[in-house]
Amino acid sequence: MFAARAQPAASVLSNGIQSRNMGTLREIQLRLNSIKNIGKITKSMKMIASTKVAKAQRAMESARAYGASSSSIYKNANTTPLENEDQVYIVSSSDRGLCGGIHSSVAKATRKLMIADGFSSQVIVLGDKAKNQMSRSNRGDIQLSFNQIGKAIPTFAEASAATDTILNSGVKFSTATIIYNEFKSAIAYEATPIRNYSSDALKASEGFAAYELDDDILQNYNDFLLANNIYWGLVEGHASEMSAKRTAMENATKNAGEMVDRLTMTYNRTRQAAITSELVDIITGASAL
């Protein structure tokens, strides 16, 4: 009699445990499939970034040659900035994300440089990602911004167009500092400034003081140096971004694999617990009979 009365209660409890386990198993299975799909996407993005890194590095080597020539001119001429010149900071970034902290690094370096230099704050941003970073603390200092950057390897024509827009925008400056991500290795980069001095500072330097130069020619040459330095910063920053994206996607794929392993183990344990619970119910019912 007592066994007959206890059987329905045990059956109700078993049905509750079974339905709860089934619900948990469905949730785990859905999450497992979702993470597997994410892992496939990140693996594909890693492969795409790996193919782009080689092209970006070849373009970077070419741009470094142009950048080295610009730096050598200021170095050989012993050019130094003049006092009380208007300063502008050009932040070189892109519109693309999913590449770690590469965009925040140039924004942080720009803020530190602005504080260290003590100049009046004027900022020009190349790329929406760095603009979002700079807007959090220096929204009022941003004078001009560019987007549609980073979809492909930057060209000198794009750098020249950006330079023309900057020079014709009405932003008054004499000296420009370009902050970009310098490519150190496949897993390392560093935010680095490039100084672009004014034509007056170039004319007053020791290397040019002995020559008679037309002001228009010297100004045009200095504008070319600005475009050259912007091109250097964009191309090397693009190579750093592609390398950082490959590393970020590799880490994301690895993390997804680890999560799949943990969820698979949880799924198997939960399924085994549900099977064990059903076996216990069957044995209990058989013993009651």
Side-chain angles (χ1 to χ4, degrees):
M1 179 181 297
F2 290 103
R5 292 181 180 177
Q7 185 176 356
S11 177
V12 172
L13 181 61
S14 173
N15 291 335
I17 295 175
Q18 183 178 359
S19 62
R20 184 170 65 251
N21 287 336
M22 291 301 294
T24 304
L25 287 174
R26 281 195 294 267
E27 292 173 0
I28 294 175
Q29 186 65 47
L30 288 173
R31 189 176 181 186
L32 194 59
N33 292 335
S34 176
I35 295 175
K36 285 181 179 178
N37 292 333
I38 292 174
K40 292 178 182 178
I41 294 173
T42 55
K43 185 177 180 180
S44 300
M45 293 181 68
K46 174 196 168 185
M47 295 175 64
I48 294 172
S50 297
T51 59
K52 289 184 177 181
V53 165
K55 296 179 181 179
Q57 287 180 348
R58 288 195 295 268
M60 178 191 68
E61 295 298 331
S62 176
R64 276 182 172 178
Y66 287 95
S69 64
S70 298
S71 300
S72 63
I73 291 171
Y74 293 127
K75 182 178 179 180
N76 294 331
N78 295 324
T79 305
T80 56
L82 302 178
E83 295 182 357
N84 299 324
E85 285 190 323
D86 294 328
Q87 169 85 359
V88 68
Y89 297 90
I90 302 175
V91 186
S92 177
S93 179
S94 72
D95 300 340
R96 300 300 182 95
L98 299 177
C99 50
I102 195 166
H103 301 302
S104 60
S105 67
V106 290
K108 291 178 181 178
T110 302
R111 296 189 193 100
K112 292 180 180 179
L113 199 60
M114 291 167 65
I115 295 173
D117 290 344
F119 288 110
S120 58
S121 300
Q122 290 189 112
V123 179
I124 296 174
V125 186
L126 306 175
D128 284 338
K129 290 298 181 179
K131 179 184 177 182
N132 295 335
Q133 295 284 339
M134 295 298 299
S135 296
R136 297 175 183 176
S137 58
N138 303 82
R139 182 181 296 273
D141 297 332
I142 299 177
Q143 306 295 322
L144 191 64
S145 64
F146 297 82
N147 56 12
Q148 302 297 323
I149 295 174
K151 292 184 177 180
I153 298 175
T155 62
F156 187 77
E158 294 174 347
S160 299
T163 303
D164 289 340
T165 304
I166 292 171
L167 295 175
N168 297 324
S169 63
V171 179
K172 295 181 179 179
F173 68 94
S174 300
T175 304
T177 301
I178 304 164
I179 301 93
Y180 74 104
N181 282 304
E182 182 182 1
F183 184 89
K184 294 292 186 180
S185 68
I187 58 174
Y189 55 86
E190 182 181 358
T192 306
I194 304 173
R195 299 286 186 178
N196 197 92
Y197 300 104
S198 64
S199 58
D200 292 335
L202 191 63
K203 186 177 181 180
S205 58
E206 297 178 5
F208 284 89
Y211 300 95
E212 293 183 3
L213 298 174
D214 186 80
D215 291 340
D216 293 336
I217 295 177
L218 190 61
Q219 182 63 46
N220 291 335
Y221 181 67
N222 199 49
D223 293 344
F224 168 76
L225 292 179
L226 177 61
N228 202 19
N229 288 330
I230 289 177
Y231 171 67
W232 176 21
L234 285 174
V235 175
E236 187 150 355
H238 179 76
S240 301
E241 180 184 342
M242 289 298 104
S243 180
K245 180 172 290 187
R246 180 179 61 181
T247 303
M249 292 301 102
E250 182 178 0
N251 293 334
T253 304
K254 181 180 178 181
N255 293 336
E258 293 176 354
M259 291 183 67
V260 167
D261 293 339
R262 290 196 299 267
L263 284 175
T264 301
M265 184 177 295
T266 302
Y267 177 83
N268 292 335
R269 287 178 177 176
T270 306
R271 184 166 60 89
Q272 187 64 38
I275 294 172
T276 304
S277 177
E278 293 177 1
L279 290 175
V280 170
D281 293 340
I282 294 172
I283 295 172
T284 303
S287 299
L289 294 177

